[in-house]
Amino acid sequence: MKELAKAYEFKDVEHKLYQWWQESGYFSPWNEPENHDFDPGIKPYVLSIPPANVTGGLHLGHVMFVALEDLMVRHQRMRGVPTLWIPGTDHAGIATQLQVEKMLALQGRSREEMGREKFEQEVWQWKEKYGSQITNQIRRLGASCDWKRERFTLDEGLSDAVREAFVRLYEKGMIYRGPRMTNWSPGLRTAVSDLEVEYVEEPGLLYYFKYRLADSPAEFIPVATTRPETILGDTAVAVHPEDERYQKYIGKTVLVPILDREIPVIADEYVDREFGTGSLKITPSHDPNDYEIGMRHNLQFINILDKNAVVNENGGPYQGLDRFVCREKIWQDMKEKELVLKEQPYIHTVPRSQRGGEIIEPMITTQWYVQMKPLAEAGLEAVREGKIKILPERFEKVYFNWLENVQDWCISRQLWWGHRIPVWYCDECDLLTIARTDPTQCSHCGSLKIRQETDVLDTWFSSGLWPFSTLGWPQETADYRYFYPTTMMETGYDILFFWVARMIMLGLEFTGQAPFDTVYLHGLIRDENGVKMSKTKNNVIDPLVVMEEMGTDALRFTMLVGSTPGNDTSISLKKVEANRNFANKIWNAGRFVIGNLERVSNTPQADPQWTLADSWIWARLQELIRDVDRLFANHQYGEAGRQIYEFFWGEFADWYVEIAKLQINKGGDRAFYTEQTLIRILDTSLRLLHPFTPFVTEELWQNLKEASLQKPDLYQPQDGWEEALMIAKWPQAQASEGWEDEKVKSFALIQEIVRAIRNARTEKKLPPGRKIAAVLVSPEMRELLVAQKEPIALLSGLDQDRYEVLPSLVEKPQGSTPLVVAGIEVYLSLAEFIDSGLEVERLEKEIQEIENQIERLQKLLSSSFAEKAPMAVVNKEREKLETYCNSIEKLKEQRNSLE
RNA sequence: GGGCGGGUAGCUCAGUUGGUUAGAGCACAUGUUUUACACACAUGAGGUCGCAGGUUCGAGCCCUGUCCCGCCCACCA
């Protein structure tokens, strides 16, 4: 038999196993027919991966979703359900383009000089080079996804899906193009959607100045702004219609500072009389609110900035200045002309680009939009009617709130990397050609002079189609027919709007079905102090480094048991370390079990006679399986993992394995059946643990299988040994046979006695090797205590030959220390270690404690609790009271005999 | 301005149908090379579950109020 390493060496295992799994085809749906003609009678479990950004490196967010999704998928696969987890990557428009541009800049090149086509080639090359990096890293995490079905959002098939989606929406009149107030990112020189703007509170200045009246330059209306450069684009000053201070000016004209352009004073209820000066400058082209007011009052729209946020020809003397330089300059100039009143420190919210971090400039640009109202209606209904369940449930409210107030979606981006919008402009007839395949001529006038729209689509447009585009939509492929709609969508709550909501809406729109039935949202990962990880804070934990040091299983297990859905999680290396220890514990328990195989005989002479420990661990295992099943059904994965951990370490390894040593030393049938139990518990535990810690369990299981096959009489899993643990059968709890509770209770009593004796030994500072004599006294438990002599003696260091159980005490053993455990008296002969003064003290303390308990319980049981609480609960308390009463008398006797 | 989450042992966190002396890991103290594991074993110390009310026979868990911390949404110059 092969020697197992003393510690679990994950480095030797992970890569090897992953390769093997993959080559064996286990990642593909179970029982996949050659022709992909699936049995429609069996409902598959399908999950599409949140596509990773091609340019990104692995971070803990990936670890989180892979750990969870792989757990779900492995669990279902073991349950025998055809299971598909589709992997893939996202072209991530802005992020990727930025990266490549950065790289080019280092080489002294720029996309403008190389032109669009060349640049796109450059990005593709980058994608080929780095795109596989992230998927390889996801493989390292053990992700059991079907790589044969891997997709990329810019793949041909997915691009077809994007076109189909665009054209259909357009044909339904749900896509329109036009000038609107947009969030303009001057650095990226593209529009971004509302979601891509972050509002950050920052200290700034509020600038107060004068709007002089055209016909009476001595008079003025005081106005305040945080952005003085926008004065150049002002086309009105607004006051509240009922504001007595300013009513007289309504209808008059005032002069724009510096430019001396004449603009009207208008009345609008939007103006807050209490705020600032109570009068508002209106820049319809550079402020969303002013835009609305401008529309209402038919104001002039003056755009003063170009695409780089540099002042244009409308800015008069300021043309060519950057927006912030202009801010300074115009204020200086106004000061000189005595047009300013004051400046005041002010905290305001600044819109910043989520990507580049630069300040977003609201600007009127021509963009493509998707009308959201009808889509949102359907999206709301699907969740309201329970067709889609969002977990944790509270996020349903967040989802509703967003969709109920959703604005039209700006889907065009002035980028080069992405799906180019399938619209062609005709130079001759000016009409648009919208097509699924590239047209050669205008569909209206037949002219050959057509140009494709240069804008690309928002990257989330294609990811919004992900659950069905990856399965072949719009083609009616076998995969699409069988696997759609998918089952589970698992992702971080931070992209609920960006991604999940859009998948739901687009899925309903295009496929007529909800794209998945459950959304499981995990929290974000923070450092051990609960702070968001960021490079600037230098608190980023690199999962690759952690895996290198502690192993993948340890990291995965940490993510799973350390978190609850929807709540952010702090991760610390200490935790990972503890779970590395757990992996090692699994390994060594397995090593022990496997190592014992040689020591047992091949065939038993008689039917099994199970010991209390055997029965106990078996019963506990059944209970565990039931609990785990229940928790999985409720998506309480972390709690399930915790319970398996507790069982495996705290019960199997700490107690059963120790007693098994004793039983195996007996040899013969006893050894045989003990080893059988050991293997059975181990096998089952490995199955339960596999979705959490796939590598160590598979490796150990293979060893267990190999060794067990040498002794087929000893143990066979119910359905024989499968090829691999990852496709082995998920354990099924056996129905309770009625004896279990009593065995579990008896064993708990043994544990209690052992702990009490160990405690006494430690307190009295007994040398650990010293075996001591003991007398146990109990009329009711006598049989049990006699039968369990050996385990009790072994575990608490008693001398078996001087172990006595008496129904009642005739005479107190000389030189012994008395204990009472659940009504059972225990006398340990520790003569030379006893200080009778201390003993009395100890007993007094114990008596006091138990008296308190008795008092508490008597009070409780004589209250209305006894009538109103369920019987079972009351009985439990009564039993407790009985045990205490039993104990207290004995304790008192013991104390008295010492005095 | 609206909504949500968290506040439980020194630290990081579990604790889902409310059941009656509250759990884990780490850290801490003491002891141990016990033939699977020192990435271990044994024993121990450590908490009025943010605060104040309420419902209930019974509340960490449900309700109300309140204080901190964090997040999301929203157009206040």
Side-chain angles (χ1 to χ4, degrees):
Chain A
M1 204 173 299
K2 115 176 146 197
E3 260 319 294
L4 295 185
K6 196 168 170 183
Y8 169 53
E9 301 290 347
F10 53 85
K11 280 183 191 167
D12 305 340
V13 167
E14 296 180 357
H15 183 69
K16 176 193 81 183
L17 282 179
Y18 195 84
Q19 285 299 113
W20 175 62
W21 286 332
Q22 192 171 348
E23 282 160 16
S24 305
Y26 301 147
F27 295 164
S28 296
W30 160 78
N31 227 3
E32 177 161 14
E34 283 293 310
N35 57 1
H36 304 289
D37 208 356
F38 292 98
D39 178 353
I42 307 174
K43 198 176 180 310
Y45 187 86
V46 188
L47 203 150
S48 26
I49 208 168
N53 184 336
V54 272
T55 62
L58 195 73
H59 56 72
L60 286 171
H62 296 115
V63 183
M64 188 60 161
F65 82 66
V66 169
L68 268 165
E69 291 171 27
D70 200 41
L71 170 85
M72 296 169 179
V73 160
R74 282 181 190 268
H75 173 237
Q76 295 297 338
R77 192 182 287 120
M78 288 176 79
R79 290 185 62 218
V81 176
T83 301
L84 175 61
W85 186 15
I86 309 166
T89 46
D90 195 304
H91 66 283
I94 294 179
T96 309
Q97 175 158 335
L98 266 178
Q99 290 252 27
V100 176
E101 283 194 65
K102 238 184 238 168
M103 176 198 76
L104 290 174
L106 287 176
Q107 300 166 358
R109 297 193 288 164
S110 75
R111 73 173 158 116
E112 284 81 1
E113 84 185 24
M114 58 200 299
R116 182 163 189 157
E117 212 168 302
K118 267 235 167 120
F119 178 75
E120 281 185 58
Q121 282 169 14
E122 195 75 42
V123 189
W124 272 105
Q125 273 175 31
W126 167 284
K127 186 260 165 184
E128 293 312 323
K129 198 165 160 195
Y130 295 102
S132 58
Q133 185 184 312
I134 185 70
T135 50
N136 284 333
Q137 288 171 337
I138 285 174
R139 283 183 173 90
R140 272 206 64 185
L141 291 169
S144 62
C145 25
D146 188 356
W147 296 103
K148 282 191 312 201
R149 287 177 164 86
E150 182 181 352
R151 294 290 182 269
F152 175 52
T153 46
L154 281 176
D155 279 351
E156 205 181 320
L158 274 71
S159 300
D160 287 349
V162 166
R163 283 220 179 169
E164 179 71 25
F166 185 94
V167 173
R168 281 204 204 172
L169 287 176
Y170 187 86
E171 284 172 350
K172 271 183 97 172
M174 291 169 69
I175 285 185
Y176 63 92
R177 177 180 186 255
R180 292 280 182 292
M181 181 58 67
T182 41
N183 303 299
W184 184 260
S185 170
L188 303 166
R189 268 160 293 143
T190 179
V192 294
S193 76
D194 295 344
L195 286 175
E196 289 162 293
V197 181
E198 271 173 358
Y199 291 86
V200 192
E201 287 212 332
E202 288 174 20
L205 291 170
L206 192 52
Y207 301 85
Y208 291 80
F209 64 97
K210 304 174 182 172
Y211 250 112
R212 287 178 301 153
L213 270 80
D215 56 5
S216 165
E219 282 182 86
F220 64 88
I221 304 176
V223 179
T225 181
T226 54
R227 300 187 293 157
E229 69 277 14
T230 59
I231 291 170
L232 299 172
D234 282 355
T235 55
V237 167
V239 298
H240 195 276
E242 280 147 39
D243 192 327
E244 286 166 9
R245 292 170 294 177
Y246 304 123
Q247 252 172 354
K248 55 188 171 193
Y249 300 127
I250 295 168
K252 297 205 169 194
T253 54
V254 290
L255 295 172
V256 174
I258 311 290
L259 300 181
D260 283 340
R261 200 153 33 75
E262 290 194 14
I263 59 172
V265 177
I266 59 171
D268 195 291
E269 302 214 326
Y270 170 79
V271 181
D272 179 355
R273 278 173 283 181
E274 311 295 315
F275 190 88
T277 61
S279 61
L280 187 57
K281 62 187 271 313
I282 306 297
T283 324
S285 292
H286 295 284
D287 184 280
N289 300 309
D290 294 6
Y291 176 84
E292 295 295 325
I293 295 173
M295 296 295 274
R296 274 205 290 280
H297 294 269
N298 254 321
L299 298 178
Q300 203 188 344
F301 286 70
I302 304 178
N303 190 336
I304 59 156
L305 297 172
D306 68 13
K307 308 258 181 230
N308 297 305
V310 168
V311 178
N312 64 18
E313 67 280 4
N314 293 328
Y318 303 97
Q319 181 175 0
L321 293 183
D322 172 82
R323 52 185 165 162
F324 301 117
V325 176
C326 173
R327 180 177 296 177
E328 295 293 316
K329 183 81 172 27
I330 193 171
W331 193 246
Q332 282 311 317
D333 293 348
M334 285 166 66
K335 266 185 185 163
E336 274 165 31
K337 300 205 166 175
E338 293 181 353
L339 292 169
V340 312
L341 293 165
K342 62 172 176 177
E343 9 184 313
Q344 179 187 316
Y346 184 66
I347 305 285
H348 58 145
T349 49
V350 180
R352 284 187 179 273
S353 155
Q354 203 187 41
R355 274 290 155 200
E358 56 171 339
I359 296 180
I360 292 291
E361 199 61 42
M363 247 197 258
I364 295 175
T365 58
T366 298
Q367 303 292 344
W368 290 89
Y369 292 87
V370 175
Q371 221 180 46
M372 294 304 280
K373 276 279 169 300
L375 292 173
E377 290 294 323
L380 283 166
E381 198 187 279
V383 176
R384 280 199 192 112
E385 288 182 351
K387 283 186 197 138
I388 299 174
K389 187 102 208 100
I390 300 180
L391 299 171
E393 223 165 310
R394 66 185 133 93
F395 282 101
E396 292 191 350
K397 224 165 136 185
V398 181
Y399 170 88
F400 291 145
N401 190 268
W402 187 70
L403 278 189
E404 278 160 6
N405 301 297
V406 72
Q407 301 292 310
D408 284 354
W409 176 13
C410 175
I411 51 170
S412 48
R413 297 290 179 279
Q414 288 63 54
L415 302 171
W416 287 354
W417 177 241
H419 298 98
R420 202 157 157 183
I421 293 178
V423 170
W424 283 260
Y425 300 98
C426 179
D427 285 340
E428 292 189 2
C429 73
D430 257 6
L431 293 172
L432 305 184
T433 300
I434 284 86
R436 289 174 172 83
T437 51
D438 290 9
T440 52
Q441 57 181 54
C442 173
S443 62
H444 305 279
C445 71
S447 163
L448 301 178
K449 288 190 178 167
I450 54 171
R451 297 166 285 112
Q452 187 175 2
E453 166 67 63
T454 52
D455 290 356
V456 299
L457 287 164
D458 179 6
T459 206
W460 297 102
F461 190 91
S462 53
S463 15
L465 311 174
W466 187 249
F468 40 104
S469 65
T470 49
L471 289 169
W473 186 89
Q475 307 295 318
E476 271 267 329
T477 60
D479 270 8
Y480 178 74
R481 273 201 307 272
Y482 185 60
F483 293 114
Y484 190 79
T486 68
T487 317
M488 172 66 82
M489 171 47 58
E490 192 288 324
T491 190
Y493 68 75
D494 54 328
I495 50 176
L496 177 61
F497 307 143
F498 274 112
W499 194 41
V500 178
R502 280 159 182 175
M503 281 189 289
I504 293 175
M505 291 186 284
L506 296 177
L508 290 166
E509 172 68 22
F510 295 124
T511 70
Q513 300 184 74
F516 28 74
D517 48 54
T518 308
V519 176
Y520 180 102
L521 297 170
H522 64 249
L524 309 181
I525 313 297
R526 298 162 178 284
D527 74 0
E528 53 193 318
N529 303 313
V531 180
K532 229 179 200 164
M533 291 192 191
S534 72
K535 282 177 191 153
T536 51
K537 281 181 198 130
N538 200 23
N539 60 350
V540 176
I541 295 177
D542 181 352
L544 293 169
V545 173
V546 178
M547 285 153 72
E548 195 64 34
E549 285 170 4
M550 315 271 193
T552 302
D553 287 333
L555 181 59
R556 287 178 49 142
F557 200 76
T558 304
M559 290 298 202
L560 292 170
V561 303
S563 64
T564 31
N567 282 6
D568 292 353
T569 311
S570 297
I571 183 163
S572 79
L573 294 176
K574 288 281 181 202
K575 280 193 216 173
V576 187
E577 204 179 309
N579 289 322
R580 175 206 56 187
N581 296 353
F582 179 50
N584 192 52
K585 176 57 88 173
I586 299 170
W587 179 258
N588 271 293
R591 203 158 74 95
F592 170 76
V593 173
I594 293 167
N596 273 327
L597 266 162
E598 291 178 327
R599 302 182 50 196
V600 302
S601 62
N602 277 332
T603 36
Q605 305 299 306
D607 284 345
Q609 296 286 315
W610 302 115
T611 66
L612 175 64
D614 295 336
S615 303
W616 165 73
I617 197 71
W618 168 257
R620 282 292 302 124
L621 179 72
Q622 302 312 311
E623 226 172 300
L624 175 72
I625 298 170
R626 280 190 282 271
D627 285 342
V628 168
D629 279 343
R630 196 195 74 236
L631 292 165
F632 264 82
N634 296 330
H635 304 284
Q636 290 175 254
Y637 304 105
E639 184 60 20
R642 224 167 283 125
Q643 298 212 8
I644 305 171
Y645 177 105
E646 276 304 312
F647 169 81
F648 193 86
W649 197 324
E651 302 193 272
F652 180 59
D654 285 349
W655 290 89
Y656 187 71
V657 164
E658 290 310 313
I659 294 173
K661 286 175 184 171
L662 177 84
Q663 297 185 176
I664 287 201
N665 281 336
K666 296 260 173 213
D669 282 9
R670 175 61 66 226
F672 183 90
Y673 289 116
T674 301
E675 178 65 4
Q676 189 180 72
T677 304
L678 281 168
I679 300 182
R680 177 169 286 133
I681 308 294
L682 179 64
D683 176 27
T684 312
S685 301
L686 291 178
R687 288 169 198 252
L688 292 174
L689 276 166
H690 183 258
F692 295 89
T693 54
F695 291 112
V696 65
T697 49
E698 180 76 81
E699 178 67 10
L700 191 57
W701 195 82
Q702 290 298 335
N703 280 296
L704 179 67
K705 172 184 167 185
E706 194 188 318
S708 299
L709 285 174
Q710 314 279 316
K711 302 204 175 197
D713 299 354
L714 182 62
Y715 175 75
Q716 295 262 7
Q718 241 174 2
D719 303 282
W721 290 99
E722 293 89 344
E723 254 181 275
L725 177 59
M726 80 160 279
I727 52 161
K729 207 171 162 215
W730 184 254
Q732 258 193 304
Q734 231 165 55
S736 161
E737 292 172 8
W739 51 264
E740 292 88 345
D741 284 356
E742 196 216 313
K743 298 287 183 190
V744 168
K745 228 166 150 181
S746 298
F747 195 84
L749 181 67
I750 304 301
Q751 288 180 303
E752 223 181 311
I753 294 170
V754 168
R755 288 200 182 103
I757 299 175
R758 282 170 172 174
N759 173 301
R761 295 178 63 111
T762 307
E763 260 180 23
K764 313 245 158 13
K765 301 205 190 322
L766 228 73
R770 172 75 156 264
K771 301 262 186 251
I772 51 176
V775 176
L776 283 69
V777 185
S778 168
E780 309 91 358
M781 296 293 165
R782 182 151 183 256
E783 211 176 320
L784 176 71
L785 297 174
V786 170
Q788 299 305 313
K789 173 173 89 172
E790 293 184 14
I792 292 175
L794 170 79
L795 295 174
S796 49
L798 301 181
D799 182 350
Q800 276 193 50
D801 299 330
R802 293 186 292 150
Y803 175 100
E804 254 187 295
V805 185
L806 305 174
S808 63
L809 197 62
V810 186
E811 188 189 349
K812 181 182 172 281
Q814 283 301 302
S816 62
T817 188
L819 306 171
V820 178
V821 186
I824 298 168
E825 288 172 87
V826 179
Y827 294 91
L828 303 173
S829 57
L830 305 164
E832 72 265 40
F833 297 95
I834 298 173
D835 173 329
S836 73
L838 288 176
E839 288 294 299
V840 172
E841 209 175 289
R842 192 199 90 224
L843 287 168
E844 289 285 4
K845 212 173 128 195
E846 226 166 300
I847 288 167
Q848 190 55 54
E849 264 168 39
I850 291 185
E851 271 177 348
N852 290 345
Q853 291 304 325
I854 289 174
E855 201 182 329
R856 184 181 65 82
L857 284 171
Q858 279 172 341
K859 233 160 110 187
L860 180 70
L861 286 165
S862 60
S863 72
S864 45
F865 166 80
E867 300 136 45
K868 298 208 175 171
M871 270 277 265
V873 178
V874 177
N875 283 340
K876 213 169 118 196
E877 297 309 309
R878 286 215 172 101
E879 265 176 53
K880 267 193 219 165
L881 179 61
E882 213 175 305
T883 311
Y884 282 133
C885 290
N886 208 349
S887 296
I888 195 98
E889 271 172 46
K890 295 178 177 150
L891 281 168
K892 282 180 177 164
E893 283 168 26
Q894 290 178 344
R895 182 199 50 194
N896 295 339
S897 71
L898 274 176
E899 275 172 353

